Amino acid sequence: MTAGNNGADTPENDDPFAYLYRAEGGEGGAPGSPGAGGAARQPGVPRTSYNQVRAVGQRQYGQQAQQPVTYGQQNATYAAPETLPGGDRTRGVPAPGHGGEPEPRRRNGLLIGAVAVVAVVCIGIGVAMLTNNGDDTKNANAGKSGPTAGDTVKPSEQPHTKPKPGELPKEDAGSLRLDGGATTAKDVPGARSAGGTYIGGMNTPGASATWTVDVDTAGKYKLWVGYGVPGKDANLTLNVNGTTIPRPVNMGNFAHGPEGAWDKGWTKTWSYVQLNKGTNTVKLSCESGNQCDVNLDQVWLARP
């Protein structure tokens, strides 16, 4: 076997990359002759590399030579945007004429739109609640009849309807405040109030019906009372704004109904009252010494 196919004669002379090199010098480092196949190898001396070793950055592969890089200074061929004058402060600003809108204005528009949506939703909920409440009230009252005999009426919490200009108040007795055993009833026909409802139970001592009435002018008025008696006379005590009137209201059998015939005894009477401008209270009650077998159906005012 020869050195050409079994390597060097000794391990240190074995060079597996021998085919990459060519001899550039003769023995002892002397340059070889041009065109020569190269000087003979000397044991222990590595061949000279074909490509010369250069410092990092000096070798160029198919490109023009670049200027040596000096670290710590800007590269002439590249600069990051943030190193330029003004930095990247222009990134968020839209180019003029492209429909851009400043961020604060766009944010304000979104906020106004959100508030408008919330307002519309709240209004819709409010309308739905009002509508449902109205329907619930109608459904709750559907099928109910009016007051019957023995029903007790609580003091009215709703304001009385004011008369039109030039008119004086008039009220069904069933809507007055009742105390002391007075009740509403409608088993006796002939009452002139709405639905035929009237006030019964007035023959109990302390029973009363109170009317809260408003007038525009202070002065003397006629208090008219619609009532019914069972064929005999009756009377009630009158109290105006906390003051008892000495003379009771006369409720005689002016209809001349037979005794015991409540339905034949409906009639009316009146008494003078002095009222203040604004709100007044007028009370009819069964007190000691009164004859209280009477039903009441209406009260109203008239000018003297």
Side-chain angles (χ1 to χ4, degrees):
M1 297 182 67
T2 64
N5 56 18
N6 63 353
D9 52 353
T10 58
E12 63 271 12
N13 292 332
D14 188 11
D15 188 355
F17 301 102
Y19 67 94
L20 299 176
Y21 303 97
R22 73 178 180 182
E24 294 184 358
E27 185 177 351
S33 301
R41 286 186 54 192
Q42 296 185 12
V45 179
R47 293 190 180 98
T48 303
S49 173
Y50 177 76
N51 292 317
Q52 298 298 322
V53 178
R54 294 177 175 83
V56 176
Q58 289 182 352
R59 177 178 290 277
Q60 306 299 323
Y61 296 92
Q63 299 178 3
Q64 295 181 358
Q66 297 181 358
Q67 296 293 332
V69 177
T70 303
Y71 296 97
Q73 296 182 2
Q74 293 185 356
N75 192 316
T77 61
Y78 172 78
E82 58 270 19
T83 63
L84 299 175
D88 59 351
R89 289 175 294 179
T90 60
R91 291 184 179 180
V93 180
H98 290 273
E101 189 177 17
E103 186 66 23
R105 184 180 302 172
R106 182 162 56 249
R107 189 179 299 116
N108 291 342
L110 294 175
L111 178 59
I112 293 174
V115 171
V117 171
V118 172
V120 171
V121 172
C122 291
I123 292 173
I125 293 174
V127 172
M129 292 178 65
L130 291 176
T131 304
N132 291 338
N133 288 341
D135 293 341
D136 293 344
T137 302
K138 292 179 181 178
N139 293 336
N141 294 331
K144 287 189 176 181
S145 59
T148 58
D151 289 346
T152 301
V153 178
K154 295 181 180 180
S156 177
E157 298 178 356
Q158 297 182 353
H160 297 283
T161 304
K162 282 191 173 184
K164 296 178 181 179
E167 295 182 356
L168 292 175
K170 184 175 184 178
E171 198 79 37
D172 286 345
S175 63
L176 304 185
R177 190 186 74 190
L178 306 182
D179 297 294
T183 60
T184 59
K186 58 179 182 179
D187 54 342
V188 176
R192 290 152 293 192
S193 57
T197 301
Y198 58 88
I199 297 173
M202 291 299 296
N203 58 349
T204 304
S208 65
T210 303
W211 182 25
T212 301
V213 58
D214 294 339
V215 293
D216 295 332
T217 305
K220 183 182 289 186
Y221 293 85
K222 279 185 177 181
L223 171 67
W224 284 90
V225 181
Y227 67 95
V229 291
K232 60 181 180 179
D233 295 338
N235 58 70
L236 293 175
T237 297
L238 176 62
N239 185 292
V240 178
N241 293 327
T243 301
T244 300
I245 307 301
R247 184 178 179 177
V249 179
N250 183 18
M251 297 178 170
N253 184 23
F254 303 139
H256 305 291
E259 187 173 352
W262 285 92
D263 60 328
K264 304 298 183 182
W266 292 107
T267 185
K268 60 185 177 181
T269 187
W270 61 272
S271 181
Y272 282 119
V273 291
Q274 183 70 33
L275 301 180
N276 302 322
K277 180 180 179 180
T279 303
N280 298 266
T281 57
V282 177
K283 183 172 74 171
L284 295 168
S285 62
C286 180
E287 306 295 343
S288 177
N290 293 137
Q291 301 297 321
C292 305
D293 285 339
V294 61
N295 294 329
L296 308 176
D297 65 351
Q298 287 183 323
V299 290
W300 67 93
L301 294 178
R303 302 189 187 280

